[in-house]
Every structure is written in C-alpha cells, then in structure tokens.
Amino acid sequence: MEKINYIIEENEVGNRLDKVLCARSEDFSRARIQQLLDQGLIHVNDEIKKNNYKVRCGDEVEIEIPEVKELEAFPQDLNLDIIYEDEDIIVINKPKGMVVHPGAGNPDHTLVNGLLYHCKDLSGINGVLRPGIVHRIDKDTTGCIVACKNDMAHEAISKQLSNKTCTRDYIAIVHGELPHEYGTIDAPIGRDSRDRQKMTVTDKNARDAVTHFRVEERFKGFTLVSFKLETGRTHQIRVHMQYIGFPIVGDPKYSLRNTRQDTQGQALHAQSLTLVHPRTHETMTFEAPLPDYFKALIEEMRGY
C-alpha cells in the first residue's frame, strides 16, 4: 500500500482538510478524499479526522493509497441488438443505460462484455478493457456504435474518425424552442474545474469542439434537433446545448430542468453512422431506429 505524507504549511492554516488535499494533488477529487476518509485511510497526527477538519500549521497528514485491483473484461450474454456484422466490423444499436467498456463502478454488463460473448475475435489495440472499441457514446445515449474485430479494421476506422471521413449523426429533444433553423456551435471543451465528472466550454486545457445542428420540429417549449459532429469530444452535444441555453431533455448532468419529460430518460440518440469499410472500401451507412421511449416523447409533445 502506497503512503503519501504532507506537512501543513502556514498558508494552508484554517482551510478544510479535503480542500487542502485536493489542492496538493490533481490526482485527488473531493469525492475520492471523502472515500479514503470513510475507509480510515487518512490520518492527521495519527488521528482520523472529518473532511471539514480545519488544518493547523505543522499538522502531519498521512494518506494510505490502497492497491488498485486490475479489472478484467469477461464475456456476458447481453442479447446485443446487432445492426450489421461481418469479419471486420460489428455495428450495435446500444440501449440506454449501457456503458461502453468496464471501468470503476461499471465492472460488467458493458458493451465490451457483450461483444466478448458474441465475437470470437476483437481488435486488441485499446487493451484488455476496451477490445474492439474505436469510439464511445455516453451511457444514457442510445444508438449506433461500431466495434472492430481486428487491428486492420481498428486502424482504418480510427483514421477515418481522425480525418472526419467517418460521420456520426444524432437526434435529440432539447428544452426550449430554438429560434434558428440551423447553425454551428464552435466552442472548446475541457474538464470542469469545479466538478471532475463534467465537461464545460472553457479556454483552459480545452480542445476544439464543433457541432452542427438543424431544427427538425418545434413543440411547445421543446425542439427536436439533429446534429452532425465535426469533432468527438466527451459529452460534446450535451455540453454545447447547455452552453447555448437549450439543454438535452432528461440529461442528468447538464440539464437543471425538472419536467415530466425528464423522467423518461436522456433524449439523445445516435441515429446513423457512415464509414468506409476497411476491407471493401465501400461507403456504408448504418441507422438505428429511435427507442420506444424517445418516440413516445415526440408523440406526447405533438399532442400539446
């Protein structure tokens, strides 16, 4: 077990313990500090303190970091909704609530677990926890995602994603009535400094992000919008729509609205994916039908 030791300095006196430790290291979020405190792994002068303990000059802080257990991805029969499959690629219609690959808090029932059960081989470029995965969509976003069965296909699709010849189209219901028929949001996205689980439009440690949108239908207080991504940043559509004041209906992170529609799930769907097949070089477009809850929302809004 790794141990980290700090001596509280004069300029830190009077601050909360969790705040001081977060400032000392970018590796610690406040939630992680609280977790370690709850486990009795942080001591101040050999005593366990609460996260709101006000530190004193000369306090000796010791943090014990438990060894990280290696995650393993294993096959699970998840009855994947397969749109297309051949010897090189497989295109899935991902359901709401499914995480793409295993990670902290999501060790199983991910898309990778389902792929390992269904496929004999997957590309190994992204390691044992992300076999076959060349791009991701969010846990609560539904629709098209492609995985690769060999490294040749993986490299080819990755290159297409990089040079923007692999295109992804999304559709969403947003809060508010968008006044423009179409437009482009060009705003860099980076990690939110106040919440490490969120992204935000910022000029600090950010990457370029470009989203094109078009209004498909307007309802009373809501709009059905289609999107084409020019870049593929984490939570890109969700962050950009919040940024311009029209957050995605049902978005648990970026929509602060509270309507009956929000209880039915995040209304964001990857409706189509176009790529050049890595072996045949044929341009192929795959489409995923809207999930039932999404179609029901549209009909409900039309009824207004």
Side-chain angles (χ1 to χ4, degrees):
M1 182 177 290
E2 179 186 358
K3 292 185 179 181
I4 300 175
N5 295 91
Y6 295 128
I7 301 295
I8 298 302
E9 298 176 357
E10 191 172 343
N11 65 332
E12 297 170 318
V13 170
N15 288 316
R16 289 167 54 111
L17 176 62
D18 55 357
K19 183 178 180 181
V20 170
L21 295 181
C22 285
R24 284 285 189 115
S25 174
E26 293 184 355
D27 294 332
F28 293 128
S29 65
R30 190 164 293 186
R32 177 59 170 154
I33 292 297
Q34 184 60 57
Q35 183 183 55
L36 292 171
L37 283 167
D38 291 343
Q39 294 173 348
L41 298 177
I42 297 179
H43 296 82
V44 179
N45 303 324
D46 295 323
E47 295 181 357
I48 295 176
K49 300 291 186 182
K50 295 183 178 180
N51 61 347
N52 60 356
Y53 168 74
K54 301 295 180 64
V55 299
R56 303 172 182 175
C57 189
D59 277 348
E60 297 182 7
V61 182
E62 181 179 84
I63 306 175
E64 298 180 18
I65 309 296
E67 294 181 7
V68 178
K69 295 181 180 179
E70 285 293 325
L71 287 171
E72 293 184 8
F74 54 90
Q76 287 179 296
D77 184 2
L78 301 181
N79 193 28
L80 297 177
D81 183 0
I82 299 169
I83 298 173
Y84 174 84
E85 181 179 13
D86 61 26
E87 62 182 319
D88 299 302
I89 63 174
I90 179 170
V91 182
I92 304 296
N93 180 15
K94 190 188 81 65
K96 179 178 63 173
M98 177 181 278
V99 175
V100 170
H101 59 76
N106 297 289
D108 54 23
H109 288 84
T110 71
L111 178 62
V112 162
N113 296 113
L115 288 171
L116 288 171
Y117 181 89
H118 178 80
C119 302
K120 181 179 179 181
D121 295 304
L122 290 168
S123 65
I125 290 176
N126 270 345
V128 296
L129 289 183
R130 304 182 186 185
I133 301 302
V134 284
H135 72 112
R136 294 181 295 174
I137 55 179
D138 299 336
K139 173 184 176 181
D140 292 323
T141 300
T142 56
C144 288
I145 181 170
V146 62
C148 297
K149 293 186 173 184
N150 53 63
D151 289 355
M152 178 277 292
H154 192 122
E155 290 174 353
I157 302 299
S158 292
K159 186 174 181 180
Q160 291 178 45
L161 287 164
S162 178
N163 62 26
K164 302 179 179 62
T165 55
C166 175
T167 59
R168 291 161 289 164
D169 295 307
Y170 291 74
I171 192 164
I173 302 172
V174 303
H175 286 281
E177 298 175 33
L178 263 169
H180 309 291
E181 294 301 321
Y182 58 88
T184 297
I185 307 167
D186 185 349
I189 291 175
R191 188 71 59 183
D192 190 326
S193 61
R194 295 167 297 181
D195 185 344
R196 292 170 182 265
Q197 301 300 313
K198 296 175 67 174
M199 308 300 288
T200 189
V201 170
T202 178
D203 57 0
K204 297 179 180 178
N205 298 316
R207 301 175 71 187
D208 291 342
V210 180
T211 303
H212 305 286
F213 69 85
R214 178 179 297 275
V215 169
E216 299 295 332
E217 189 172 352
R218 289 186 180 88
F219 314 107
K220 184 178 180 180
F222 302 93
T223 309
L224 182 67
V225 189
S226 61
F227 301 90
K228 188 178 290 290
L229 294 181
E230 190 170 313
T231 54
R233 308 302 175 219
T234 301
H235 301 171
Q236 180 171 317
I237 294 173
R238 299 161 64 191
V239 171
H240 272 172
M241 294 313 291
Q242 180 205 39
Y243 177 65
I244 67 171
F246 298 88
I248 305 292
V249 166
D251 188 329
K253 284 186 181 293
Y254 301 102
S255 178
L256 298 180
R257 314 284 182 121
N258 186 15
T259 67
R260 195 168 75 81
Q261 286 77 16
D262 285 320
T263 66
Q264 304 190 32
Q266 182 171 287
L268 177 60
H269 177 70
Q271 63 178 349
S272 69
L273 172 71
T274 299
L275 53 81
V276 177
H277 193 279
R279 189 178 301 273
T280 67
H281 306 296
E282 174 189 0
T283 298
M284 307 178 74
T285 297
F286 308 101
E287 296 184 354
L290 285 173
D292 290 342
Y293 80 92
F294 201 122
K295 290 187 288 187
L297 264 178
I298 292 176
E299 290 307 312
E300 180 181 337
M301 291 176 178
R302 283 174 178 158
Y304 292 162

